Amino acid sequence: MMRHRCWRLLRKYLREHAGQICLYIGILVIFQVVFFLHNIRTDAVRYGCFLTVGWMALYGGIGFARFYKRCRELEENQTAILTDISRMPEAAGQLEAQYQEIIEQLYSRMRELESAGRISRQEMLDYYGMWVHQIKTPIAALKVMIQSLEEERADLPYVREMKLELFKVEQYVEMVLSYLRMEDMSGDLVFEEYSLDAIVRQAVRKYSRMFILKKIRLDLGPLDHQVLTDEKWLVFVVEQILSNALKYTKEGGISIYMTSYRDRPVLAIEDTGIGISAEDLPRVFEKGFTGYNGRADKKSTGIGLYLCKKIMDRLHHNIYIESQEGQGTKVYLYLEREQGFLQKCKDEQGNVI
């Protein structure tokens, strides 16, 4: 390894000084040719050339040693320099000093922009966090009003639609909050063994009213399976998948069961909805991508599956989708873990990373 690095740096050093080497060799050749053409004895000149070559080799060797030392310092401190510009080695010349001064100015400007960006993002998080909690009050009031209206006038035809729309508002509010928290979710993760059946039933209970109002059948298979995960975030993923399934399923049902995908045990959520076209399927996890179905619906945000993918990556799980247009969609959640997962995911302080 050491020898490989030495040869690599030597080639780099020779390339950087190729012009000077060619200049010195050219001067020596010119003197040799001139003395030869004028029949001048070249014994002394050859001796001088020999000494000059020796001096060049010595000078070049010292220069390479300094070059090697500086390159090694840069390589060893490369990571530290990114956070502490003072770790830069001392400039070898005026030109390099000017470059380092420019780098320091750029570094200072970058830190200012990062600080301004963090402040701006925190202000945005604070504002939307406050907005989410404030919007819950009118939502709760609307719930009470709709419930009172339903008790007084059960025959009103639009009460069912009002319930559905209010439920969607609640769902979108929760999505906003989850979107804001996702960037900093690492500090919020708690990995434990959970019952997969209990996690799925939490999501199903939340959408039970929507199943009833839309008259969609639910087939819940046996889910006798333990999974090492974060319960809150995995429940959110299952809820988003159920939300999409209910949104695009007009009739039929939704099935939740354990199966195998590529010889691995996975949780499958299958619907009988409108499906996803083949050209849209590879892009369904992209941020803001709505596809043909989303454009036809006019209300799709393209955020739900993007959040699912990001969260599943943070949980070190996988998510796959199979679908055919007009024949429904199957979403597979691969939740298995290798041995020693928690040790791999913790830093020196024991925090989950």
Side-chain angles (χ1 to χ4, degrees), residues 55-221:
W55 169 249
M56 286 173 56
L58 177 62
Y59 180 80
I62 296 173
F64 174 70
R66 293 175 178 173
F67 176 80
Y68 180 84
K69 180 181 178 182
R70 289 173 56 77
C71 288
R72 188 178 62 182
E73 289 177 357
L74 279 173
E75 290 178 355
E76 292 175 352
N77 297 323
Q78 185 174 0
T79 303
I81 289 172
L82 295 177
T83 56
D84 184 8
I85 198 68
S86 63
R87 300 291 294 271
M88 288 280 288
E90 185 179 353
Q94 184 61 33
L95 183 61
E96 188 172 330
Q98 291 181 351
Y99 278 127
Q100 288 193 8
E101 184 178 349
I102 294 173
I103 292 173
E104 290 176 0
Q105 293 175 358
L106 291 173
Y107 180 80
S108 176
R109 179 59 178 162
M110 181 191 71
R111 296 300 296 268
E112 291 176 3
L113 292 174
E114 286 181 349
S115 178
R118 283 195 296 268
I119 293 172
S120 176
R121 174 169 174 76
Q122 188 58 49
E123 290 176 349
M124 182 188 70
L125 290 174
D126 293 341
Y127 171 77
Y128 281 108
M130 179 184 65
W131 176 84
V132 166
H133 290 293
Q134 287 180 338
I135 202 67
K136 288 182 179 180
T137 301
I139 289 175
L142 283 172
K143 275 186 175 181
V144 174
M145 294 170 65
I146 292 174
Q147 185 175 358
S148 300
L149 183 62
E150 187 178 21
E151 291 175 355
E152 294 176 3
R153 296 287 305 277
D155 58 331
L156 291 177
Y158 51 81
V159 172
R160 173 174 170 269
E161 285 73 17
M162 291 172 63
K163 285 184 176 181
L164 282 174
E165 295 303 321
L166 185 59
F167 184 82
K168 291 177 183 179
V169 171
E170 288 184 283
Q171 176 191 347
Y172 290 139
V173 168
E174 290 184 9
M175 185 183 296
V176 169
L177 195 58
S178 298
Y179 182 78
L180 294 175
R181 290 174 175 172
M182 186 182 64
E183 293 299 325
D184 301 318
M185 67 177 287
S186 296
D188 188 41
L189 293 175
V190 180
F191 286 103
E192 293 182 9
E193 289 278 352
Y194 293 98
S195 166
L196 184 58
D197 183 76
I199 288 176
V200 171
R201 287 183 183 275
Q202 284 187 56
V204 169
R205 277 195 298 269
K206 178 178 178 179
Y207 285 90
S208 58
R209 188 190 314 168
M210 202 165 181
F211 274 100
I212 296 171
L213 292 174
K214 295 195 68 172
K215 299 179 180 179
I216 300 296
R217 185 185 70 256
L218 173 65
D219 296 323
L220 185 60

Side-chain angles (χ1 to χ4, degrees), residues 304-336:
L305 286 177
Y306 165 77
L307 286 176
C308 289
K309 178 61 176 174
K310 297 291 287 187
I311 291 171
M312 291 293 280
D313 289 343
R314 297 286 180 88
L315 295 177
H316 298 269
H317 298 322
N318 282 317
I319 180 170
Y320 312 96
I321 291 183
E322 288 182 349
S323 182
Q324 289 186 357
E325 195 169 3
Q327 298 185 22
T329 301
K330 294 181 183 179
V331 180
Y332 300 99
L333 303 182
Y334 173 60
L335 308 172
E336 292 296 316

